[in-house]
């Protein structure tokens, strides 16, 4: 009987302790997010000119002529800060048909020169780059180029967005807790989710985050997961 009484007491004590631990361990996990519209404050224009010929000298002369016309078109748009790389050479292959109908492989030399221009004048460079490209291509000059739009104040804005996303998470948790008759206590843990910079009003989502460089107008989105203590 004594052993049974001790066993019942221990069982009751352990059950009571389990209830306390379960109550004190009640938590709620929510995801908070924050979105803000931003505008790119820097543009980078990159590209290259290239010339093909069966001889290196001929390819070089063509590229030099292309370069002169390209720089003239750039100067006409008052674009400053253009940087040109050294000339790069590569050997390609093409198939040539002889008079007798036979085919033979022949080496083609391609010489190319890259360029880059960075500016805070996003709209001005965008418009000027388009006009330069049109002028150059109209002269039959091979040109490859693209514009990349960047936002340089991201480090400062990232902190602001994470704070806003955390506040959103707390608001969501409080709303859920009120519906259960409880209230939110201190945060138990927090985890930063994906950080997205996407074209304005897009539905694009990447599990690993994204950093768009194609659009001037963008949306920045921060996501955090927070676990709060749920108190009764």
């Amino acid at each position: 009987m004594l052993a049974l009484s001790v066993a019942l007491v221990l069982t009751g004590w352990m059950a009571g302790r389990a209830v306390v631990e379960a109550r004190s361990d009640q938590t709620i996990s929510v995801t908070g997010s924050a979105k803000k519209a931003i505008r790119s404050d820097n543009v980078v224009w990159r590209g290259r000119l290239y010339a093909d010929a069966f001889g290196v000298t001929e390819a070089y002369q063509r590229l030099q002529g292309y370069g002169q016309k390209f720089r003239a078109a750039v100067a006409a748009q008052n674009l400053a800060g253009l940087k040109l790389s050294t000339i790069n050479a590569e050997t390609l292959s093409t198939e040539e048909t002889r008079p007798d109908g036979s085919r033979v492989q022949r080496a083609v030399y391609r010489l190319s020169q890259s360029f880059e221009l960075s500016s805070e004048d996003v709209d001005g460079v965008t418009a000027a780059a388009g006009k330069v490209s049109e002028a150059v291509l109209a002269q039959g000059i091979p040109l490859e180029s693209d514009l990349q739009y960047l936002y340089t104040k991201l480090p400062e804005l990232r902190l602001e967005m994470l704070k806003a996303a955390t506040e959103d998470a707390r608001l969501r948790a409080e709303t859920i807790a009120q519906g259960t008759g409880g209230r939110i206590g201190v945060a138990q843990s927090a985890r930063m989710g994906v950080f997205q910079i996407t074209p304005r009003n897009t539905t694009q989502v990447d599990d690993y985050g994204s950093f768009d460089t194609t659009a001037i107008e963008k949306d920045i989105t921060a996501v955090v997961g927070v676990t709060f203590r749920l108190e009764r």
Side-chain angles (χ1 to χ4, degrees):
M1 290 295 293
L2 178 59
L4 179 58
S5 298
V6 172
L8 289 174
V9 171
L10 288 174
T11 302
W13 175 79
M14 292 177 66
R17 185 184 178 198
V19 170
V20 171
E21 288 181 347
R23 288 178 176 173
S24 63
D25 193 41
Q26 287 185 326
T27 58
I28 180 171
S29 298
V30 293
T31 299
S33 65
K35 177 182 285 189
K36 184 174 183 177
I38 59 174
R39 192 176 198 279
S40 302
D41 58 5
N42 186 269
V43 59
V44 180
W45 182 34
R46 292 190 180 95
R48 71 166 185 158
L49 300 165
Y50 65 90
D52 296 341
F54 291 119
V56 175
T57 301
E58 183 182 357
Y60 177 76
Q61 291 173 344
R62 286 184 182 178
L63 184 62
Q64 288 294 93
Y66 293 164
Q68 291 176 358
K69 294 177 180 178
F70 173 72
R71 289 190 293 274
V74 170
Q77 296 300 321
N78 297 314
L79 286 173
L82 183 72
K83 298 178 182 178
L84 295 171
S85 71
T86 56
I87 295 176
N88 179 65
E90 57 183 317
T91 303
L92 308 176
S93 178
T94 187
E95 190 173 70
E96 189 176 72
T97 303
R98 292 178 173 177
D100 61 2
S102 62
R103 296 178 180 275
V104 63
Q105 294 293 322
R106 189 173 181 185
V108 175
Y109 299 94
R110 170 169 291 181
L111 270 61
S112 61
Q113 187 168 32
S114 299
F115 63 87
E116 179 177 313
L117 186 150
S118 178
S119 174
E120 295 179 355
D121 184 7
V122 176
D123 293 328
V125 170
T126 298
K131 292 178 181 179
V132 170
S133 297
E134 290 178 3
V136 170
L137 292 172
Q139 299 178 69
I141 298 174
L143 171 68
E144 299 173 350
S145 72
D146 74 307
L147 293 162
Q148 293 185 327
Y149 300 102
L150 310 174
Y151 185 74
T152 61
K153 302 180 180 64
L154 186 57
E156 299 91 333
L157 185 57
R158 187 190 295 268
L159 296 177
E160 175 187 328
M161 297 298 294
L162 290 176
K163 180 181 178 181
T166 302
E167 292 174 349
D168 180 62
R170 173 171 284 278
L171 179 60
R172 291 170 184 252
E174 289 175 345
T175 302
I176 296 173
Q178 289 172 4
T180 63
R183 62 188 181 86
I184 294 303
V186 297
Q188 299 292 91
S189 63
R191 178 180 55 82
M192 185 174 72
V194 294
F195 199 81
Q196 309 265 8
I197 297 181
T198 56
R200 179 71 49 82
N201 298 324
T202 187
T203 57
Q204 172 186 337
V205 175
D206 191 321
D207 291 340
Y208 299 97
S210 62
F211 190 95
D212 175 75
T213 61
T214 64
I216 296 178
E217 305 292 339
K218 309 176 190 289
D219 285 329
I220 180 171
T221 305
V223 177
V224 296
V226 185
T227 297
F228 295 95
R229 182 179 295 280
L230 182 59
E231 300 177 349
R232 298 292 180 178

